[in-house]
Amino acid sequence: MDVINVVGARPNFMKVAPIVEAMKRRKREFTPLVVHTGQHYDAAMSDSFFRDLDLPQPDIHLGVGSSSHAAQTAAIMERFEPVVLREQPDWVVVVGDVNSTLACALVCVKLGVKVAHVEAGLRSRDRTMPEEINRLLTDQIADLLFTPSADADENLRAEGIPQERIRLVGNIMIDSLHKHLERSRQSSIKTQLGLTDENYAVLTLHRPANVDELAVFGRILDALEKISEQLPVVFPIHPRTRKTIIELGLHERVAAMKGLRLIDPLGYLDFLSLYSGARLVLTDSGGIQEETSVLGIPCLTLRENTERPITVTMGTNMIVGSDPARIIATAFTALNERARRPVNIPLWDGHTAERILAAL
Ligand code: UD1
């Protein structure tokens, strides 16, 4: 079976790596190709993940780069279509909810080539998020929908998707987490930053709704001012956020916060080493809500909603939005709580890739 595996942006690499690895183990049944759309292209946002995750270099690189949503989605489609026509794959596998996910799924469905979506069925019910549009549309057109948890199956059924297109396989990112947790302990990032376990917090922030608007970003900084007085907050900063800090005139304010340490974006292993040693994580990422839940690290989600409700009901995730009083109160409650509580979520067991291959 010839399978094209699509990667585009940072959160795709740790989802595709275990699938490609499993396919390479089953050489007689699967011939995987890796296609990189180039949605993310900085060394720190892309190259380092291939090394850290033992993901083979892309067989084909589309080199689309950054632009508006329409221009980026269109460029991916234009460049991906000839690849599919040439390679004639049996399946195309897309993951997550980035523009590359939807663009490539749309190309396939128009060509009559089968497409599978990994991490299907997640819904924030917030249509102002570009990712929510990507999720809704990809799930409508994909042939096979691989879901991480039962709530995702329910979402799909409620949208009229027949059960035979849905397979509950678990969380593919946790395959990567299990595989690399031990190895990440060799990272020297904590030593380099002078940190000791559970004596710092980690922050990530890149959603347009948080970092592109002065009022919202300002409120989040109000909260971070208080928290970082008590506990150093390490902030590996996404390129989008680095840009908007300057554009919104927040640079001096951020620089004056002595407890907030801005660092360049980290690769997979360094970042895993960093957050797995943290006392607290603050984030607007989706995947980090899942990773911290599995490790039992308190996670404050700086959004009003989540497409991953199981991390709230079963995991360590707390939805706090951007209201400073709520963020501060929840952070201090979490800091005063007792030790970590790693959780077992059904099928988040490191074997999701095998279940995906079996279904394909
Ligand atoms: C994208 C995804 C988002 C995901 C995030 C993870 C969409 C709609 N959004 O958001 O779901 O959570 O990736 O990082 O697909 N840039 C660089 N170097 C890079 C990549 C981006 O400097 O390698 C800068 C560019 O200025 C670019 C901006 O970051 O315009 C935003 O990049 P883009 O890929 O459009 O969206 P993200 O915010 O990264």
Side-chain angles (χ1 to χ4, degrees):
M1 191 178 275
D2 293 323
V3 184
I4 291 184
N5 298 276
V6 175
V7 291
R10 184 168 63 176
N12 293 159
F13 305 120
M14 61 296 279
K15 296 170 191 166
V16 167
I19 298 173
V20 172
E21 189 190 320
M23 287 181 178
K24 289 204 175 272
R25 271 201 308 270
R26 290 171 61 170
K27 275 197 192 63
R28 283 192 303 184
E29 296 151 285
F30 292 95
T31 308
L33 273 188
V34 176
V35 174
H36 193 333
T37 65
Q39 178 174 344
H40 283 177
Y41 43 85
D42 283 353
M45 300 294 287
S46 175
D47 305 7
S48 68
F49 287 82
F50 283 82
R51 278 194 308 274
D52 282 2
L53 293 158
D54 303 322
L55 181 61
Q57 284 304 308
D59 298 285
I60 297 158
H61 203 300
L62 306 181
V64 295
S66 301
S67 42
S68 71
H69 284 267
Q72 185 176 62
T73 307
I76 297 168
M77 290 182 68
E78 266 184 355
R79 294 182 196 189
F80 188 57
E81 185 179 51
V83 173
V84 177
L85 287 171
R86 188 175 68 234
E87 300 295 334
Q88 297 285 319
D90 297 297
W91 278 100
V92 172
V93 173
V94 297
V95 299
D97 55 16
V98 301
N99 287 345
S100 303
T101 313
L102 172 61
C104 293
L106 195 46
V107 166
C108 294
V109 70
K110 295 283 180 89
L111 292 176
V113 170
K114 281 189 291 189
V115 59
H117 182 209
V118 179
E119 203 185 86
L122 300 183
R123 297 290 182 268
S124 65
R125 300 188 169 73
D126 173 1
R127 291 198 179 193
T128 65
M129 280 179 83
E131 293 82 2
E132 183 74 352
I133 306 302
N134 293 341
R135 293 182 198 116
L136 280 160
L137 298 182
T138 303
D139 287 342
Q140 279 299 320
I141 58 181
D143 298 274
L144 201 47
L145 300 170
F146 292 122
T147 56
S149 47
D151 55 286
D153 294 40
E154 278 166 38
N155 290 335
L156 294 172
R157 284 194 294 268
E159 288 168 17
I161 292 171
Q163 181 60 47
E164 60 265 25
R165 277 171 54 205
I166 306 170
R167 298 283 190 291
L168 175 57
V169 292
N171 190 326
I172 190 67
M173 248 183 20
I174 306 306
D175 283 25
S176 283
L177 180 62
H178 279 201
K179 180 175 173 201
H180 296 290
L181 185 59
E182 207 42 56
R183 226 176 113 209
S184 77
R185 301 197 206 284
Q186 290 162 19
S187 155
S188 61
I189 188 71
K190 287 182 283 196
T191 324
Q192 283 173 41
L193 296 170
L195 301 167
T196 51
D197 275 353
E198 304 209 29
N199 276 323
Y200 61 94
V202 170
L203 166 72
T204 81
L205 209 57
H206 74 282
R207 296 271 162 223
N210 281 337
V211 303
D212 290 4
E213 280 179 48
L214 182 58
V216 183
F217 205 163
R219 282 202 301 275
I220 293 175
L221 288 178
D222 290 344
L224 290 169
E225 246 153 21
K226 287 277 170 300
I227 297 167
S228 65
E229 282 168 9
Q230 302 294 318
L231 193 69
V233 177
V234 184
F235 184 14
I237 188 162
H238 188 287
R240 171 194 281 280
T241 313
R242 193 177 278 286
K243 236 172 38 184
T244 60
I245 285 180
I246 293 168
E247 284 167 6
L248 298 175
L250 291 167
H251 189 67
E252 280 175 17
R253 187 170 172 202
V254 168
M257 292 167 63
K258 296 293 167 236
L260 185 68
R261 296 183 59 181
L262 270 62
I263 60 172
D264 286 334
L266 295 175
Y268 184 79
L269 292 171
D270 284 340
F271 187 60
L272 175 53
S273 166
L274 184 71
Y275 75 76
S276 63
R279 180 86 176 273
L280 178 73
V281 169
L282 302 109
T283 191
D284 60 6
S285 147
I288 296 171
Q289 299 167 37
E290 301 179 329
E291 294 166 324
T292 49
S293 280
V294 168
L295 296 177
I297 299 158
C299 176
L300 268 59
T301 293
L302 305 170
R303 288 170 43 191
E304 300 298 339
N305 50 55
T306 180
E307 59 287 336
R308 293 157 158 97
I310 201 164
T311 60
V312 176
T313 52
M314 291 191 72
T316 56
N317 191 15
M318 292 159 272
I319 306 294
V320 292
S322 60
D323 169 34
R326 192 169 165 207
I327 300 172
I328 293 166
T330 316
F332 286 118
T333 308
L335 289 177
N336 290 327
E337 271 192 359
R338 61 176 189 85
R340 302 173 166 204
R341 276 168 297 188
V343 294
N344 276 320
I345 298 175
L347 301 179
W348 294 24
D349 58 0
H351 298 288
T352 293
E354 291 154 34
R355 288 187 284 269
I356 288 173
L357 265 58
L360 287 177

